[in-house]
Amino acid sequence: MGVNMLSAIGYEFKPQIKEKVPWRPHKKRAPTTKPPFTLGELKALIPQHCFERSLPRSLYYLVRDLVLLSAFYHVADTYIPLLAWPLQWVAWPAYWVAAGSVGFGLWFLGHECAHGAFSAHAWLNDTIGFVVFSCVAVPYFPWQCGHVKHHANTGTLERDEVFVPKQKPSRSKRFLNNPLGRILIILLMLTIGFPAYLLFNTSGRRYPRRNNHFSPFSPMIPRRMRPWVLLSDAGVLAVLAALAWLAHSHGIAWLVARYWAPYTVLNAWLVCTSVLNHSHPALAHYDEGAWDWLLGTLTCTMDRDFGPLLNWVFHDGQNVHTVHHVFPRIPHYHLREVTEALKPVLGEYYHSDATPPHRALYQVVKECVFVREDLDQRGVYWYEGLFDMMM
């Protein structure tokens, strides 16, 4: 079947020069026709052991991250204050980056819990996910609800829960259409982007009324989930109360250096990786008439290689993100093997980019400002930058 499928998915792209949607030869766009393979055919190519969720192995990764975080905190709290001030100005940022990066890896394990990929026990998955997310002020069950909807509607302009692109550039984007403006946008994305999404649904699905992850009456939340939203809020409030007590006991500066700064780095990685996995000039979006689940999942997801160290710290969550979207219950430690097994069959429906994060983010902010409908394919939309409008 593999040989037949490889021959079946041969895809020859013919560049089209259009007046309103210019083609850039160095960026090969994703195919926008339904794949010549089915989800069942892809599943049949995956070794059966890749679907097995090992609780001891998942717990190993959880303990690994907790040990690393504890070690970083112990070193920072015990030894950095003993250094001379010039050395502290170097040591504290190093701690923030290290702890925040490992913290994001821990957050990713909570994300695995939300998918049921951590273990075969739903109660254990939700318990661990609830604790991990609450510790970084994220309401677990509402986030899980929105994230599942994102997986179910990836690439649709109407129903995708996050990463919904604008169909025309805003005035602020026009004003900031310059190098300094783009850097400012990146800084705002990395610092307040995720809290703004949780509180105000920034970059999220358009609802007739305000959507807020902390409100049980948000339009995103089904009625049956309202008690779980309140439980999530209680978890976040308990953590905020503990942080307030620490600030009162040790001072705000102490809390900022040991918790808030690494927390900011964690959020920055979360926004950075999420945006890069779903934003690229080669990726398509669709309206409901042209959308298909497998097509949207494959052509609106980009694997991003962050290098050996960060891939290890992030549990390979970003460099094998496409397969995670297709089979979200497969544990992260099997996704490399699954990706290699499926790449020959996916062919041009598989996309990856190893551009360093800082360059990739700048490219996204510059070239993925809004989407515009393809003149030759109704319902298919491509990312555009403001410089395209002048061509």
Side-chain angles (χ1 to χ4, degrees):
M1 181 179 67
V3 175
N4 292 335
M5 291 185 71
L6 282 172
S7 61
I9 62 174
Y11 180 86
E12 180 182 359
F13 186 84
K14 297 181 179 180
Q16 300 174 357
I17 306 300
K18 304 176 185 179
E19 180 180 353
K20 294 187 178 180
V21 185
W23 169 254
R24 302 178 201 80
H26 63 290
K27 294 171 188 143
K28 189 172 184 179
R29 286 175 167 173
T32 54
T33 55
K34 290 184 65 173
F37 44 79
T38 66
L39 182 64
E41 290 171 334
L42 293 178
K43 187 175 181 180
L45 296 173
I46 300 174
Q48 190 58 39
H49 72 269
C50 292
F51 293 97
E52 298 174 1
R53 294 161 290 178
S54 169
L55 178 57
R57 191 168 181 180
S58 294
L59 288 174
Y60 157 73
Y61 289 108
L62 179 66
V63 172
R64 185 195 83 180
D65 287 352
L66 291 174
V67 168
L68 284 173
L69 277 175
S70 299
F72 288 146
Y73 169 78
H74 174 73
V75 170
D77 188 59
T78 305
Y79 298 107
I80 293 181
L82 302 179
L83 298 174
W85 272 107
L87 293 178
Q88 288 195 35
W89 284 102
V90 176
W92 278 118
Y95 161 70
W96 300 337
V97 171
S101 298
V102 174
F104 174 62
L106 182 62
W107 183 95
F108 179 80
L109 295 180
H111 154 272
E112 286 235 305
C113 291
H115 281 294
F118 189 88
S119 77
H121 309 287
W123 67 269
L124 182 61
N125 294 334
D126 287 339
T127 300
I128 294 175
F130 171 78
V131 172
V132 169
F133 273 44
S134 296
C135 287
V136 289
V138 178
Y140 173 74
F141 291 104
W143 182 90
Q144 180 188 46
C145 176
H147 192 66
V148 169
K149 290 182 178 181
H150 161 60
H151 271 256
N153 300 283
T154 304
T156 62
L157 292 175
E158 295 89 354
R159 290 182 287 110
D160 197 345
E161 200 64 38
V162 288
F163 314 117
V164 181
K166 306 293 184 183
Q167 296 190 40
K168 61 180 180 179
S170 64
R171 290 184 178 180
S172 61
K173 289 293 181 67
R174 294 176 186 272
F175 177 75
L176 296 172
N177 183 35
N178 55 74
L180 288 178
R182 296 180 192 117
I183 292 173
L184 176 61
I185 291 174
I186 291 173
L187 291 176
L188 292 174
M189 287 170 51
L190 298 183
T191 52
I192 65 172
F194 188 55
Y197 167 68
L198 294 177
L199 289 168
F200 309 111
N201 201 39
T202 305
S203 81
R205 175 180 174 180
R206 294 157 182 80
Y207 284 101
R209 53 192 175 89
R210 179 173 297 180
N211 190 56
N212 183 316
H213 282 69
F214 296 92
S215 171
F217 303 103
S218 294
M220 175 188 73
I221 304 297
R223 183 182 296 270
R224 61 180 173 78
M225 281 198 62
R226 289 177 179 175
W228 297 102
V229 177
L230 294 175
L231 176 62
S232 301
D233 292 346
V236 173
L237 287 174
V239 170
L240 293 179
L243 294 174
W245 178 82
L246 288 172
H248 176 74
S249 302
H250 300 281
I252 294 178
W254 183 94
L255 185 66
V256 167
R258 288 155 181 81
Y259 175 87
W260 184 82
Y263 163 82
T264 302
V265 173
L266 185 159
N267 274 355
W269 279 126
L270 172 57
V271 172
C272 172
T273 57
S274 300
V275 168
L276 293 184
N277 278 139
H278 292 285
S279 303
H280 193 283
L283 299 181
H285 282 76
Y286 307 88
D287 64 21
E288 290 202 59
W291 180 80
D292 169 81
W293 179 80
L294 187 56
L295 173 66
T297 296
L298 293 176
T299 60
C300 196
T301 309
M302 178 73 65
D303 281 5
R304 298 280 190 170
D305 189 348
F306 281 50
L309 177 59
L310 288 179
N311 288 342
W312 181 82
V313 172
F314 297 163
H315 302 291
D316 286 321
Q318 289 64 50
N319 58 312
V320 286
H321 196 70
T322 300
V323 168
H324 163 70
H325 255 265
V326 181
F327 299 102
R329 290 175 70 88
I330 292 181
H332 72 272
Y333 41 81
H334 291 316
L335 289 180
R336 277 180 179 252
E337 182 179 355
V338 175
T339 299
E340 293 305 314
L342 296 185
K343 276 167 67 173
V345 176
L346 294 176
E348 291 196 345
Y349 287 87
Y350 173 78
H351 316 283
S352 64
D353 193 332
T355 304
H358 63 286
R359 289 176 51 195
L361 269 180
Y362 189 86
Q363 178 194 40
V364 166
V365 171
K366 180 180 179 181
E367 302 184 28
C368 301
V369 179
F370 68 107
V371 292
R372 184 162 44 184
E373 189 173 18
D374 193 303
L375 297 180
D376 290 343
Q377 292 179 288
R378 293 289 299 273
V380 178
Y381 292 75
W382 298 106
Y383 277 116
E384 298 292 342
L386 290 176
F387 56 90
D388 294 327
M389 300 181 66
M390 307 176 200
M391 297 180 66

